[in-house]
Amino acid sequence: MGRKPFFRTLIFYFIVLALMGAGNIHIANGQEYSVSATPDSTLMVIGGQMNLTLEVTQPKNLKVVFPQFTDTITRNIEIVETSAPDTTVISDERISVKQVLRITSFDSGLHYIPPMTFELASADMQARERTRSIGLMVVNPFKEVDPQKGITDIKAPLNTPFKFSELYRFLPWILGGLAAVLLIGAGIWFYIKRRNPLNALIRQKPKEPAHVVALRKLDHIKEEKIWQKGQIKQFHSDISTILRHYIEDRYGIQAPEQITSEILESLRQVDLPDEKVTEKVRQVLELSDMVKFAKFEPLPDENDISLINSYFFVNQTKYEELKTPEESVKQTEQIHSEN
């Protein structure tokens, strides 16, 4: 017999489903109540899932026991999950209680959900109420399997060897990405290592020793003699700054960011020649603080003492690398030639 068109079968099933009710309303002893079982749809794909909602509308004084199931409703309809009953207040005297069953089916065709029995009881009545049966159409949208052909093996993976020619169209992007990474890396290296990218392209002169820089700056102050021109505050600020930077370069102490007491405490942790050296730098820094912050007016001799103590501190703590006899001779000849 030839197979009927699929859409005609569906129309027939929908006509059958339309003739089925989903709920009953009854009045017993003046108490109105209703029970129902309502699916999300009457059509489900095989292996799919939907909700079947059980609901009873009742007076508040009526006790109701919902239908009890295990893991199936019928042989063809399985229960995936069951929710707890949920109560909604309709009015002062009436409530609605719902329970949701999550159902599925793995057999195609038209299946019937039989009537479900609710047990109701109150002080003056007992009753059992049943929902009407429900039709559920389960369809298989996939191509049917021919049992005459038997079970076939899983197809092996296709052998698709890699070819470098497949990368040609991506080559500009790959080269462009590599170039961008190299440029970014070079920029970061220049910034971190050199701070100024242009310095990386210019041959750097050897850094002068800390004491050479400090003594040159002190010589400049000595020649200017600004303390004799009334610029007392500027004079003490300048020699204090010179010593702070010298201490930073010589010992690695963050002296420019520290106050005088912190600098002196840090100097106790380094190897100074003797206590006299510490007292010399203490005099310079403390007098500078008094002039800058307390508007102290030092005597002329105190200005000279600060300059002398600055020279003393640098000369007593300077670090000079030992030179070979050849380097000493070359330095001596250079000094004579300059003179």
Side-chain angles (χ1 to χ4, degrees), residues 161-169:
F162 173 76
K163 296 180 180 179
F164 282 100
S165 59
E166 298 175 359
L167 293 178
Y168 288 161
R169 59 176 178 171

Side-chain angles (χ1 to χ4, degrees), residues 23-249:
N24 291 326
I25 301 177
H26 292 272
I27 300 177
N29 295 334
Q31 294 183 330
E32 181 181 336
Y33 59 86
S34 65
V35 295
S36 64
T38 308
D40 287 346
S41 173
T42 55
L43 180 66
M44 182 170 64
V45 176
I46 189 169
Q49 296 182 9
M50 70 166 59
N51 291 335
L52 176 62
T53 304
L54 308 183
E55 181 178 8
V56 56
T57 302
Q58 63 177 78
K60 286 186 176 180
N61 63 345
L62 197 63
K63 295 182 180 180
V64 179
V65 178
F66 277 72
Q68 302 298 309
F69 299 100
T70 54
D71 56 355
T72 60
I73 296 178
T74 67
R75 181 172 58 87
N76 298 319
I77 301 175
E78 301 178 12
I79 298 176
V80 178
E81 183 181 2
T82 303
S83 72
D86 181 31
T87 302
T88 302
V89 177
I90 300 175
S91 64
D92 293 339
E93 299 297 331
R94 298 184 61 77
I95 60 174
S96 172
V97 184
K98 293 183 181 181
Q99 184 178 43
V100 178
L101 306 180
R102 188 72 174 170
I103 61 174
T104 186
S105 178
F106 297 95
D107 294 313
S108 60
L110 179 61
H111 304 305
Y112 293 95
I113 299 176
M116 301 182 182
T117 302
F118 290 75
E119 296 184 1
L120 304 95
S122 65
D124 54 356
M125 67 156 285
Q126 287 186 349
R128 287 188 177 186
E129 198 58 42
R130 304 174 68 192
T131 64
R132 295 190 179 183
S133 60
I134 304 171
L136 177 63
M137 179 63 186
V138 180
V139 296
N140 183 1
F142 308 104
K143 184 178 180 181
E144 293 186 3
V145 178
D146 186 356
Q148 301 298 326
K149 295 182 179 180
I151 301 175
T152 58
D153 294 333
I154 299 175
K155 291 185 178 180
L158 297 177
N159 184 15
T160 55
F162 173 76
K163 296 180 180 179
F164 282 100
S165 59
E166 298 175 359
L167 293 178
Y168 288 161
R169 59 176 178 171
F170 301 106
L171 190 59
W173 296 97
I174 295 174
L175 295 178
L178 290 175
V181 170
L182 291 175
L183 289 175
I184 293 173
I188 294 174
W189 184 84
F190 280 130
Y191 179 77
I192 295 177
K193 297 295 184 181
R194 303 289 183 172
R195 294 294 180 183
N196 185 353
L198 294 178
N199 290 339
L201 305 176
I202 303 174
R203 187 176 180 180
Q204 300 294 313
K205 295 181 178 179
K207 185 178 180 180
E208 291 183 305
H211 69 276
V212 173
V213 176
L215 292 175
R216 182 170 61 247
K217 291 181 178 179
L218 289 174
D219 289 342
H220 178 73
I221 290 178
K222 181 180 178 181
E223 293 173 0
E224 290 292 324
K225 297 182 180 180
I226 59 174
W227 73 94
Q228 295 181 1
K229 300 176 183 179
Q231 301 178 21
I232 305 300
K233 184 176 181 179
Q234 184 64 43
F235 166 72
H236 285 278
S237 177
D238 289 345
I239 60 175
S240 174
T241 300
I242 292 171
L243 290 185
R244 289 171 184 269
H245 284 289
Y246 168 74
I247 293 171
E248 181 181 33
D249 293 340

